[in-house]
Amino acid sequence: MLSRTALRALRVRPVPRRAPLASTSQWIRSYADTKRPGQDRTWKPTDPIKFDENNKSTPNPVHPGEQPEFDAAAAPTSSPGPGVSEAATPDAQREFRTDQAEFDGPQAAEQNTDPTTESPQQPQKPLPDLRHGIPSTFGEEFGAAETKGSAQSHEHDPNNITEDPTREPQPGGSGGRESGELPKSAYETSTDRRRNRLANYSYLATLGFGLLSAIYLGRDWETEEEARAHPDVPTGWGLGAIYNRARARLSSQMGYYTEPTFPKLLPDMDPATRPPMTLVLSLEDLLVHSEWSTKNGWRTAKRPGVDYFLRYLSQYYELVIFTSVRSMDADPIIRKLDPFRIVMWPLFREATRYEKGEYIKDLSCLNRDLSKTIIIDTNPAHVKLQPENAIVLPKWKGQKDDKSLVALIPFLEYIAMMGTGDVRSAIKSFEGKDIPIEFAQREAKAREAFNRELEAEKAKKPKHSAGGMLMGALGLKTQRPTYPDGSSVAEGFEQGKMISDQIRERGQKAYEAMDKEIRENGERILKEMEAEEKKFMEEQMKNMKGGMFSFLGVNSPQEKN
């Protein structure tokens, strides 16, 4: 049984009926029309196409040798299409209408071939370079409009239907956000309005928060300590009082970053156990000099005579190194510079006062008597709060033959041992002068006067007095002021030594004893100091762990053991 598809394929389809073809007699060209006598329709060759020979600029586009379809001896034009007889369309080739556009031009041959009648060909602009993106056409679209608008600004704009010259649109086009007929708000989207509303709410919230903060900071003093700390700012709810209290509290908050770390930078000490005077020394460009190079990086040099300067003056002064460098950078340098802890107290940038971009060393925060305090620095801005206590030296740039620091020892030694009441008056007497040179000149003059007086005393005093002979016979000696080592001041005078000379000899002996101890037992001292520091760190870590476990309510491992 065949399928339905096979039956449909085997089904015989009828042949469609077509229109009858025209008889062949309709396609035979007749060379003579017997119905119209006198008209000969016999084909004759037409005249060849002629061009104006005077117009040499336009070449003849027709070449009969190359294009046979334009040959004069060629066959006649093709007959009408199939299905159309020549008899059915008589004179069809001569029918035309004069109102067609192609016949509007010049009629004469000279005018038809005149090149001036043809529209000039516009030069083609270079194509844009699209390798770096599509270029902008804003300038060509709007620049020409602005130029045209400015040239015709005196004319009335047809878009202005109000006939009001004051409402003429601006050059460059009508409408828009800036000069259109609609307000600027008409061009805002709902997102813009929502964003603007949120911004206004934020401004109001910020203003309200600022007012509340100002009122809170301007409240009355809560404790008596605050009132005593600001005696010039009274209590009350006046606008001036609120403003002054808020400003005082805000300044105290900012003081955390600009004021020294502690109001007392040095601890309290018993005057009987510490030297009577304090000498504050800068670190950078006074004791050491640091420089950087591409070859070696950072290098730090120690000034010549620093060890002798520190060890010698440590018997007269409480030495303090006060630097404006951060502790993390300066502490390693101080440890190498003074491994035996000759300097009692190091102070870093955290102890300075910051004002107008400068770090200032405020001596009033040292917790020491300023009449007994001297500071040596290389920057006048660091000591501008107490310039009467300062000795400012030129910066040391790493010269190996420098002796200016060691040259200050006689002056500083003299002030410490002679018990000067106020060091500020002594420093002021050397203002504007080189202290080592001026002190040496004054000491030389004092020595000359001392020698003259000593010679006069020797001339007046007899070699042997009766009282002295009697005391010697009884085995007694006259009481004379002596030093702790047993030497007498009078004996020094008899030897031609002034007080300063005798003090210097004693100081030199003390320095030699210290230097000998360091050379002989220096390694042992360093090991003992390292062990003490390690033990101290272990105790600190133990206390920290114990506090952490106690906070969690658990016994520390040390307590369990």
Side-chain angles (χ1 to χ4, degrees), residues 231-390:
D232 55 340
V233 183
T235 59
W237 287 101
L239 293 179
I242 293 175
Y243 172 76
N244 292 331
R245 287 194 297 271
R247 183 178 179 182
R249 285 193 172 97
L250 186 60
S251 299
S252 63
Q253 294 294 330
M254 295 299 296
Y256 176 80
Y257 304 97
T258 59
E259 299 294 327
T261 309
F262 303 101
K264 294 182 179 181
L265 298 176
L266 299 181
D268 295 327
M269 294 183 65
D270 187 2
T273 59
R274 69 174 179 85
M277 291 192 177
T278 303
L279 180 62
V280 183
L281 303 172
S282 179
L283 179 65
E284 60 278 10
D285 296 333
L286 179 69
L287 304 180
V288 298
H289 174 71
S290 300
E291 62 182 12
W292 185 89
S293 64
T294 56
K295 180 180 180 180
N296 302 311
W298 280 106
R299 294 192 302 172
T300 302
K302 183 170 62 174
R303 192 166 189 168
V306 167
D307 293 336
Y308 176 72
F309 181 84
L310 296 177
R311 295 174 186 177
Y312 189 87
L313 293 180
S314 63
Q315 55 187 322
Y316 305 120
Y317 289 93
E318 178 188 17
L319 297 182
V320 179
I321 291 182
F322 199 173
T323 177
S324 59
V325 182
R326 297 176 300 179
S327 59
M328 60 181 299
D329 299 328
D331 185 67
I333 297 176
I334 295 177
R335 286 178 177 270
K336 284 191 174 183
L337 178 68
D338 182 29
F340 298 99
R341 304 295 191 270
I342 303 299
V343 178
M344 299 182 66
W345 314 109
L347 298 176
F348 307 98
R349 178 180 293 181
E350 293 80 7
T352 60
R353 186 186 301 277
Y354 186 77
E355 291 183 1
K356 298 180 180 179
E358 296 178 344
Y359 295 98
I360 303 173
K361 302 172 183 178
D362 191 358
L363 300 182
S364 62
C365 300
L366 289 180
N367 193 27
R368 296 294 184 265
D369 186 6
L370 292 183
S371 63
K372 305 294 182 181
T373 303
I374 300 175
I375 181 172
I376 304 177
D377 208 298
T378 58
N379 191 348
H382 291 170
V383 296
K384 66 180 182 180
L385 294 182
Q386 294 87 18
E388 62 276 2
N389 294 81

Side-chain angles (χ1 to χ4, degrees), residues 210-251:
L211 292 176
L212 293 177
S213 301
I215 295 174
Y216 177 75
L217 292 174
R219 68 188 186 279
D220 287 337
W221 303 119
E222 298 178 348
T223 61
E224 295 181 358
E225 295 180 358
E226 290 182 346
R228 287 195 300 268
H230 306 89
D232 55 340
V233 183
T235 59
W237 287 101
L239 293 179
I242 293 175
Y243 172 76
N244 292 331
R245 287 194 297 271
R247 183 178 179 182
R249 285 193 172 97
L250 186 60
S251 299

Side-chain angles (χ1 to χ4, degrees), residues 400-557:
K400 297 182 180 180
D401 56 347
D402 179 80
K403 298 180 180 179
S404 57
L405 184 63
V406 178
L408 279 175
I409 292 179
F411 170 73
L412 299 173
E413 181 187 38
Y414 181 84
I415 290 179
M417 293 306 299
M418 296 306 294
T420 306
D422 194 341
V423 298
R424 292 171 289 193
S425 59
I427 295 175
K428 187 174 179 59
S429 64
F430 289 87
E431 186 177 1
K433 301 177 182 178
D434 191 350
I435 293 179
I437 297 176
E438 183 65 20
F439 181 78
Q441 293 176 357
R442 293 183 185 183
E443 189 178 26
K445 293 179 181 179
R447 190 180 304 278
E448 293 177 0
F450 171 77
N451 291 333
R452 287 194 302 266
E453 292 179 0
L454 183 61
E455 293 294 335
E457 289 291 335
K458 288 181 179 181
K460 293 180 182 180
K461 185 178 179 180
K463 295 183 179 179
H464 301 285
S465 61
M469 294 176 63
L470 180 61
M471 295 293 291
L474 297 175
L476 300 176
K477 295 183 179 180
T478 57
Q479 297 293 331
R480 296 180 180 181
T482 59
Y483 294 107
D485 58 356
S487 61
S488 173
V489 178
E491 293 178 358
F493 285 158
E494 292 176 359
Q495 297 174 5
K497 299 177 182 178
M498 297 189 302
I499 295 292
S500 60
D501 297 333
Q502 298 179 34
I503 293 173
R504 191 170 296 121
E505 286 182 0
R506 295 178 58 250
Q508 190 66 30
K509 291 180 180 179
Y511 166 75
E512 291 176 357
M514 180 188 299
D515 184 67
K516 181 180 178 180
E517 180 69 16
I518 291 175
R519 285 188 283 103
E520 293 179 354
N521 303 315
E523 295 182 1
R524 178 180 58 82
I525 294 173
L526 292 178
K527 290 181 180 179
E528 291 178 357
M529 295 174 60
E530 184 180 358
E532 291 179 0
E533 186 175 358
K534 184 178 180 181
K535 182 179 179 180
F536 175 77
M537 295 296 295
E538 290 177 354
E539 291 179 356
Q540 292 290 331
M541 185 64 67
K542 180 179 178 181
N543 295 335
M544 185 177 66
K545 290 181 179 179
M548 184 182 300
F549 282 107
S550 62
F551 175 77
L552 298 175
V554 182
N555 294 331
S556 60

Side-chain angles (χ1 to χ4, degrees), residues 85-101:
S85 61
E86 185 175 308
T89 57
D91 301 334
Q93 296 180 357
R94 291 182 296 176
E95 292 181 359
F96 63 88
R97 298 179 60 183
T98 59
D99 57 350
Q100 296 180 3

